Amino acid sequence: MKDATRALRGGRDSRAQFGAVNPPVVRASTYLFEGYDGLQEAERTLSGEGLTYGTHATPTSLALEQALRDLEGGFRTRLQPSGLLAMTAPLLSFLSAGDHLLMTDSAYGPTRAFCQGTLKRFGVETTFYDPLIGGGIRDLIRPDTKVVFCESPGSWTFEVQDVPAIAEEARKRGVVVMLDNTWASPLFFKPFEHGVDLCLAALTKYVGGHADLLMGSVSCAEAVYPTYRRGQRELGLAVSPDDCALALRGLRTLPVRMKAHEAAGLALADWLMGRPEIAEILHPGMPHDPGHRIWKRDFLGASGLFGAILREDLSSEAHVRALLDGLELFGIGYSWGAFESLILPVDPVGSRSATAWPREGRAAGRLLRLHAGLEAVEDLKADLEAGFARMAKV
């Protein structure tokens, strides 16, 4: 099947659902077994497909996990209560005191904070590496290195990583590769075809798609699944079946929404690149972008999230305030991936330790992160154009 069909049909079996199109919402903490043999069989189920206790699975969560697994191509998918837990729970599952972690310098801020806080307290050493290192990661892998963590593109600065090259070097040394795949969604990057061991994602974003859900997912290759499953069970992490139903609803329309987000994002980025107020556009899907070659080689599409750097002389607090305060369609918010367009001023300067942000010193203007929603592109352009007019009056 093509991905559009998989997204519609994954996790559905109307014959087992009393003829209903959608899986039912099953709220359950306790399951009963058919005698002693039924209990023993459930406890032997390595894959976790069996229904044994509410923190492990419900029929509703299993439906969502199976649908995501089919799209991403992994052996097994497990859910987390938030996108951040989808990043941190795998790290806790695979790292112990005395271990070494290689983390991309462009990582999502809360992921970075977890490395510098919780993991450091637990005795795990983190080395942040240049996201553009590619196969050069071999020089940073040590005997105690257990995990290499990638995020491609970075959700602030949009560097595209050479994930296959990183994975190849990690595999030679028996190091596990994790990837934050939120930007691309399960549709636009196939992690297991590029050597990734664990694919992590914030379903809050594109899969949820309606700004009403917090959830994450972790999809595993078969070899690493038992370790992750044990860690998840020991942490007692579980998701609400009601939230799973919301995520399943979003998944059914993900293919058409992602195409719309991609088209709107590229159209807005191209228009902004021609605006006199903008110094540079950060969008891997555009030919001028430094990451475009790898993006074109490895990705199947682009999401609606990209960056725009204002001219240095238009980057004062007064200018940014004039732009943002009057916007009617672009909301000011930290999330992205849902139907609404968002804009957020961000400052990568000082948030790196392995390398300076490549635009630091070369383009000193303020960075804006934009998410192109599902509104009419011409209306979004008009909203920004009015904001630029306000900036001109400062």
Side-chain angles (χ1 to χ4, degrees), residues 29 37 39 68 108 146 154 159 167 218 232 255 300 353 386:
S29 62
D37 289 343
L39 175 62
L68 290 170
Y108 172 55
K146 297 297 188 294
E159 295 96 336
V218 179
Q232 165 136 340
L300 303 174
S353 55

Side-chain angles (χ1 to χ4, degrees), residues 33-40:
F33 307 101
E34 291 294 330
Y36 181 77
D37 289 343
L39 175 62
Q40 293 297 300

Side-chain angles (χ1 to χ4, degrees), residues 10-93:
R12 285 176 47 203
D13 182 359
S14 60
R15 293 168 298 181
Q17 298 160 189
F18 307 100
V21 170
N22 292 309
V25 177
V26 179
R27 303 178 183 91
S29 62
T30 304
Y31 297 93
L32 302 179
F33 307 101
E34 291 294 330
Y36 181 77
D37 289 343
L39 175 62
Q40 293 297 300
E41 177 60 28
E43 291 180 347
R44 284 194 298 268
T45 306
L46 175 64
S47 69
E49 297 286 352
L51 296 171
T52 56
Y53 192 67
T55 56
H56 304 157
T58 66
T60 318
S61 68
L62 284 176
L64 176 57
E65 289 172 352
Q66 291 164 5
L68 290 170
R69 177 199 63 196
D70 291 345
L71 279 175
E72 290 179 329
F75 170 70
R76 185 77 167 83
T77 299
R78 300 308 305 265
L79 302 172
Q80 296 289 356
S82 71
L84 180 56
L85 271 167
M87 310 301 141
T88 59
L91 291 172
L92 288 175
S93 298

Side-chain angles (χ1 to χ4, degrees), residues 310 313-324 387 391-392 394:
L310 292 169
D313 61 321
L314 296 177
S315 293
S316 70
E317 291 296 315
H319 285 105
V320 174
R321 183 179 294 108
L323 170 63
L324 299 187
M391 289 175 68
V394 172

